Amino acid sequence: MKTHEFTIVASGLDPEADGYEDRFFEAGCDDATLSFQKGVIIAEFARKAVSFSKAVANAYEDMLKTGVKIERVEPDYLVSLSDIAERSGLTRQAISLYTKAERGSSFPNPVARVTSNSPLWDWLEVTEWLHALSKIDREAVVEARIVKEANRFIERHEGEPDGFAKRLALLEAA
Amino acid sequence: MARPRHPNKDIEAAVTHAEVLGRRVVPISGHAWGRLYCAWADRDGCMVSVWSTPGMRITMPRRSGGLWRGARTGKRSE
């Protein structure tokens, strides 16, 4: 089984409360590095599972057992030019040429902060585009799709694990 | 000042490195061995929990790197 890396951001538990870490350990989150900043709990998972969707779904359910409110799954779908370079393993310069259409054609349009000097792109659109050029593997596209859907689900069905795993598994095959 | 050593040598190395970068180590009891507080932990800094016996992969050096990440600026970077 492969180890899948992703982060779950949560809130609602006070680290000063007794047995804060123990709750996570007992819920099966001992494969996450737990940190706390500005009232937000950050669990960086390295979870073994047959697929990325299973890993995320299992971790989501384990996190719910601790009583936290799950905010989102990361890596976030909004990415800067540097994020794209870092995640794809390509140079900043190469990505910059793509975005300016000086290399390749019809790179996805930015989706946020469009008028600023540091626009943001949708990582799923970017992976699909890079995959079409064989610059990134299919796995990256599937993972981007799963993370995006997971966050959409979390927004709509706060705290309900039902249907979460099934929904993500469908994307694995897509 | 002496602090207890972490029984896992990879984690102990990561904790030592975190101390060099200015993190404060506070031992606690339970399933977690201790906590690492950055210099800004009382405001918008970061606190990282260190497991006594973490899931297997966390003992890998790359993962334990998370223990000292952000120690220099007090902010987490992606």
Side-chain angles (χ1 to χ4, degrees):
Chain A
M1 271 195 294
K2 224 190 126 186
T3 302
H4 303 274
E5 296 190 12
F6 55 91
T7 298
I8 293 183
V9 179
S11 63
L13 272 187
D14 182 0
E16 296 314 316
D18 272 354
Y20 164 78
E21 282 93 350
D22 292 349
R23 275 176 183 250
F24 291 90
F25 189 93
E26 278 148 23
C29 300
D30 59 322
D31 55 353
T33 299
L34 214 56
S35 55
F36 185 85
Q37 186 176 22
K38 295 178 192 161
V40 174
I41 298 159
I42 302 145
E44 293 174 72
F45 281 91
R47 175 148 299 206
K48 277 203 158 133
V50 291
S51 65
F52 184 72
S53 68
K54 280 241 158 50
V56 173
N58 292 345
Y60 176 84
E61 284 171 21
D62 288 348
M63 286 287 283
L64 281 182
K65 284 184 224 158
T66 66
V68 294
K69 176 180 184 291
I70 294 176
E71 303 285 351
R72 61 185 184 277
V73 179
E74 292 191 345
D76 197 59
Y77 85 100
L78 284 177
V79 285
S80 66
L81 200 141
S82 326
D83 294 332
I84 297 173
E86 198 182 314
R87 290 191 192 182
S88 64
L90 299 166
T91 62
R92 248 190 83 99
Q93 197 192 5
I95 304 300
S96 173
L97 291 173
Y98 288 144
T99 60
K100 288 185 275 189
E102 284 168 19
R103 190 187 288 176
S105 63
S106 53
F107 189 82
N109 294 323
V111 294
R113 290 164 72 176
V114 179
T115 57
S116 76
N117 288 330
S118 49
L120 300 172
W121 284 264
D122 178 334
W123 177 238
L124 176 56
E125 290 177 8
V126 172
T127 55
E128 283 168 343
W129 191 87
L130 288 172
H131 180 59
L133 288 188
S134 307
K135 297 286 182 196
I136 203 166
D137 55 15
R138 187 181 161 277
E139 208 181 343
V141 184
V142 173
E143 292 189 6
R145 201 176 285 149
I146 288 168
V147 169
K148 196 174 176 185
E149 181 57 26
N151 285 318
R152 207 176 284 164
F153 186 93
I154 289 164
E155 240 172 60
R156 288 199 207 129
H157 311 266
E158 191 183 302
E160 298 168 27
D162 291 352
F164 187 78
K166 207 192 282 172
R167 238 193 139 84
L168 296 191
L170 285 175
L171 298 172
E172 197 90 44
Chain B
M1 213 167 54
R3 60 160 174 83
R5 289 174 64 83
H6 195 289
N8 178 304
K9 68 171 168 34
D10 290 333
I11 299 176
E12 174 57 29
V15 169
T16 305
H17 190 70
E19 281 184 304
V20 171
L21 294 178
R23 288 211 174 222
R24 188 163 50 92
V25 181
V26 177
I28 55 172
S29 59
H31 289 297
W33 169 85
R35 291 173 170 182
L36 305 179
Y37 290 88
C38 87
W40 294 267
D42 56 333
R43 289 213 313 259
D44 56 355
C46 184
M47 184 273 279
V48 183
S49 307
V50 183
W51 297 118
S52 304
T53 52
M56 194 183 81
R57 278 290 293 261
I58 295 176
T59 62
M60 301 289 284
R62 194 165 61 89
R63 287 296 300 174
S64 50
L67 298 183
W68 67 71
R69 185 160 3 136
R72 268 162 290 189
T73 61
K75 294 233 170 76
R76 290 167 42 82
S77 58
E78 267 247 317

